[in-house]
DNA sequence: ATATCGATTATCT
DNA sequence: GATAATCGATATG
């Protein structure tokens, strides 16, 4: 691709703390742009936690905010159920749901416990572990031009990171110990764009989709980027 | 480039 | 029984 991508340099990644997620999901969504999602299994070795297995890292470039019971398009709109219970629990945890009989989608819970706001991950820019992502996706990747097929779209990124409801629903995304977490690698984003959400049938007028302007990994029709 | 459609199942009415 | 925060394939301009 001829376009400038966000940095792929390897630097220390610091996990986000719980307080980051104790805010309105619109604010959390905006702040999550430019952060990274990490899948890194940790194994017990002697008395230390060691990194084990392939490490997958990707930058968050597109998210949507869902506003709990105030939001007709949110899964929590009708109150707490068995499916959405995580949304009403503590902030910073993974809410994973299964959709269209085919795909998983990843969200992170926001706001204080008892309030059900969340942020949906819609697209990522792969930074490391692309071979592992391709294997998880079941596709061949021949060049960087194929990378968007790994993580552009909520179903795709979940599959690339091996995320399922059975495995990851309720996982604490603030701790590297959990093997799936969100961190800050020092990247400083430039402009952000806000648009209506994609793929919903209710509350379509509200602008609650946040993207890194011009990033080639953002999903959906080009005009919405 | 845009449009339409089928797949496939957990969840809720 | 209907629906759904999607994807990939196919058709058409």
């Amino acid at each position: 691709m001829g376009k400038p991508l966000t940095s792929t340099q390897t630097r220390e990644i610091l996990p986000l703390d719980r307080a980051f997620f104790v805010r309105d999901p619109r604010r959390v969504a905006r702040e999550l742009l430019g952060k990274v999602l990490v899948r890194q299994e940790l194994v017990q070795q002697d008395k230390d936690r060691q990194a084990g297995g392939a490490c997958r890292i990707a930058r968050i470039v597109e998210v949507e905010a869902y506003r709990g019971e105030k939001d007709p398009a949110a899964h929590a709109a009708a109150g707490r159920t068995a499916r959405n219970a995580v949304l009403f629990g503590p902030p910073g945890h993974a809410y994973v749901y299964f959709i269209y009989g085919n795909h998983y989608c990843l969200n992170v819970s926001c706001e204080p416990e008892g309030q059900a706001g969340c942020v949906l991950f819609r697209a990522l820019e792969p930074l490391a572990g692309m071979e592992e992502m391709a294997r998880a996706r079941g596709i061949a990747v021949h060049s960087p031009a194929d990378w968007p097929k790994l993580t552009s779209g909520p179903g795709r990124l979940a599959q690339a990171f091996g995320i399922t409801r059975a495995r990851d629903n309720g996982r604490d995304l603030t701790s590297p110990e959990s093997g799936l977490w969100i961190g800050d690698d020092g990247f400083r984003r430039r402009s952000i764009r806000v648009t209506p959400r994609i793929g919903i049938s209710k509350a379509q007028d509200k602008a609650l989709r946040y993207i890194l302007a011009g990033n080639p990994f953002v999903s959906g029709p080009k005009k919405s980027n």
Side-chain angles (χ1 to χ4, degrees):
Chain A
M1 351 186 101
K3 300 173 184 177
L5 306 182
T6 53
S7 171
T8 59
Q9 290 175 40
T10 303
R11 2 177 179 180
E12 186 177 15
I13 302 174
L14 301 174
L16 301 184
D17 53 42
R18 185 90 45 216
F20 182 95
F21 300 99
V22 191
R23 294 184 287 180
D24 186 296
R26 292 169 293 186
R27 182 74 193 285
V28 176
R30 183 178 285 273
E31 296 290 329
L32 276 176
L33 290 177
K35 301 298 190 290
V36 295
L37 182 67
V38 182
R39 171 72 96 180
Q40 170 73 89
E41 304 300 339
L42 300 182
V43 297
Q44 192 77 39
Q45 191 170 331
D46 295 328
K47 291 180 180 178
D48 298 320
R49 292 269 178 188
Q50 301 279 335
C55 183
R56 281 168 274 190
I57 307 175
R59 191 172 312 288
I60 299 166
V61 303
E62 176 185 356
V63 292
E64 283 177 0
Y66 285 86
R67 305 186 61 202
E69 291 167 288
K70 308 166 190 164
D71 183 354
H75 287 180
R80 182 179 183 139
T81 68
R83 174 171 74 151
N84 66 23
V86 169
L87 294 178
F88 292 84
H93 288 252
Y95 167 54
V96 181
Y97 65 89
F98 188 56
I99 191 69
Y100 293 114
N102 283 304
H103 312 286
Y104 292 99
C105 294
L106 173 68
N107 302 252
V108 59
S109 60
C110 301
E111 303 185 302
E113 188 161 356
Q115 293 180 249
C118 68
V119 173
L120 168 69
F121 289 68
R122 287 199 56 91
L124 308 173
E125 173 182 330
L127 300 178
M130 282 72 110
E131 295 197 356
E132 189 69 17
M133 294 180 197
R135 202 159 64 87
R137 290 268 296 120
I139 63 175
V141 172
H142 301 107
S143 77
D146 295 327
W147 288 353
K149 288 188 295 192
L150 296 175
T151 53
S152 281
R156 287 172 174 168
L157 74 87
Q159 189 178 26
F161 274 69
I163 292 165
T164 66
R165 180 169 169 89
R167 188 181 180 197
D168 297 302
N169 192 49
R171 197 177 287 273
D172 184 359
L173 298 179
T174 68
S175 167
E177 298 278 304
S178 79
L180 181 69
W181 53 284
I182 305 167
D184 186 337
D185 70 345
F187 173 76
R188 295 302 157 214
R189 62 185 188 238
R190 291 195 275 285
S191 49
I192 285 171
R193 192 161 304 167
V194 186
T195 80
R197 294 177 291 189
I198 289 182
I200 55 172
S201 56
K202 299 166 189 164
Q204 293 175 332
D205 53 311
K206 303 190 187 316
L208 293 171
R209 171 173 174 260
Y210 300 80
I211 66 181
L212 286 184
N215 187 286
F217 293 88
V218 169
S219 75
K222 197 177 173 186
K223 75 171 185 178
S224 70
N225 294 359

